[in-house]
Amino acid sequence: MLYDAHVHAGMFPDFNKTITCALNSGIVPVCVSTSLEECSLLLKKLSQIQINLPVFAGVHPWYLKEHVFDEKLALSLLSDHVISGIGEFGLDSKCDVPLNVQIEALNEQLDFACGCKLPVNLHIRACHGELIRELKKYRGSVRGIIHNFTFSYELAKQYLDLGYILSVGSVICSYSSSNLCEVLKKVGIGNVVLETDADYEHTGDYDPLVLEKSYARLGDIFKLSEQRVELTLEKNLLTILGKQDEPGFYC
């Protein structure tokens, strides 16, 4: 089984088609949210088709002008459904929401994750110093995933030391990915998961080949068999989700 560690399933016009496409290709999509309201609708759709997938509920920094992290709504989602974590949320230097507002929302969601003992799925663009500073306050209390990792080994090590793993997209398949591949070799495959970041608006219909090619490329980088890569990445993700003793829990 392959795991797509970051899919905006709720943003696809045909939700059932997207999920079915992934599952029929042997892929478990990890669903992330841009708002709690979007997550609520996503959870209802999953309940209707009786499919169990990892779901992260959070408020993306791009959407903070229209949405807030409502703790009461988050608690109701948590009590009514199985939520795997909090996300996608984080910091973005090119977002038109002021950084102080983003940091406030970041800490609200980290506080909630900490209190509920849930992992997080973090968005980060350029504001690494600020994010690492905030994450240090939760060292040992919050674990999670750094979404769309393309950074240096020095940054990678800081996130790993704080209890996070690195989610890498299809960029590893491009000709310009040599630096990233060298960083991944230092990081080790035990600290990596793979993602498509599919959201329809930017990617179109869900394409399983994108993830399959990334898995194959990761095998080439580490000189490992397809089966070894699949088992290792499954273990990495399930450990973060707290399901390390329950392979096959999803779907």
Side-chain angles (χ1 to χ4, degrees):
M1 185 68 73
L2 309 185
Y3 286 81
D4 188 339
H6 201 99
V7 181
H8 289 279
M11 298 178 74
F12 282 81
D14 192 333
F15 176 82
N16 287 6
K17 175 184 174 183
T18 301
I19 297 303
T20 301
C21 176
L23 294 178
N24 285 347
S25 300
I27 296 172
V28 175
V30 178
C31 304
V32 296
S33 310
T34 59
S35 70
L36 297 184
E37 290 79 9
E38 180 197 297
C39 186
S40 178
L41 291 173
L42 187 151
L43 288 166
K44 288 176 183 176
K45 290 176 181 178
L46 283 174
S47 178
Q48 289 169 358
I49 59 178
Q50 298 183 327
I51 290 177
N52 179 31
L53 295 177
V55 175
F56 283 72
V59 184
H60 192 293
W62 294 359
Y63 295 82
L64 286 171
K65 284 188 174 180
E66 297 85 20
H67 300 277
V68 297
F69 185 76
D70 184 334
E71 186 171 330
K72 288 184 179 180
L73 177 53
L75 284 170
S76 71
L77 294 178
L78 192 59
S79 62
D80 293 341
H81 303 274
V82 176
I83 293 178
S84 305
I86 306 302
E88 169 188 5
F89 68 100
L91 303 177
D92 194 315
S93 66
K94 295 186 178 180
C95 179
D96 60 359
V97 175
L99 186 57
N100 66 304
V101 175
Q102 294 185 51
I103 291 174
E104 182 179 353
L106 172 82
N107 280 301
E108 287 175 345
Q109 294 176 83
L110 286 170
D111 283 342
F112 187 86
C114 182
C116 295
K117 295 181 170 50
L118 291 171
V120 298
N121 198 310
L122 293 176
H123 173 100
I124 179 64
R125 181 156 58 172
C127 303
H128 295 285
E130 291 86 351
L131 180 60
I132 290 168
R133 180 192 68 209
E134 299 304 319
L135 294 182
K136 284 181 177 178
K137 300 174 184 177
Y138 301 86
R139 187 194 295 268
S141 300
V142 181
R143 65 192 186 279
I145 299 169
I146 302 298
H147 157 55
N148 195 26
F149 175 79
T150 57
F151 322 127
S152 68
Y153 175 69
E154 289 70 27
L155 277 174
K157 190 173 187 310
Q158 291 186 70
Y159 287 120
L160 296 176
D161 289 346
L162 288 168
Y164 293 80
I165 60 173
L166 312 173
S167 187
V168 182
S170 59
V171 65
I172 65 167
C173 296
S174 71
Y175 290 109
S176 59
S177 66
S178 57
N179 288 342
L180 175 59
C181 294
E182 290 305 313
V183 171
L184 292 178
K185 289 177 184 178
K186 292 182 182 179
V187 163
I189 195 171
N191 293 306
V192 175
V193 291
L194 292 172
E195 63 173 65
T196 62
D197 196 18
D199 68 359
Y200 188 75
E201 179 181 349
H202 299 96
T203 62
D205 288 333
Y206 188 81
D207 183 358
L209 287 176
V210 174
L211 189 71
E212 291 169 7
K213 289 177 180 177
S214 294
Y215 264 80
R217 177 62 179 138
L218 200 66
D220 291 341
I221 292 169
F222 287 100
K223 298 182 177 8
L224 294 173
S225 68
E226 179 180 332
Q227 183 182 32
R228 179 71 181 277
V229 172
E230 288 185 23
L231 291 174
T232 302
L233 268 57
E234 178 180 47
K235 179 183 177 182
N236 296 348
L237 183 64
L238 293 184
T239 298
I240 285 293
L241 296 178
K243 300 293 183 183
Q244 62 268 35
D245 298 323
E246 303 177 66
F249 176 81
Y250 294 106
C251 301

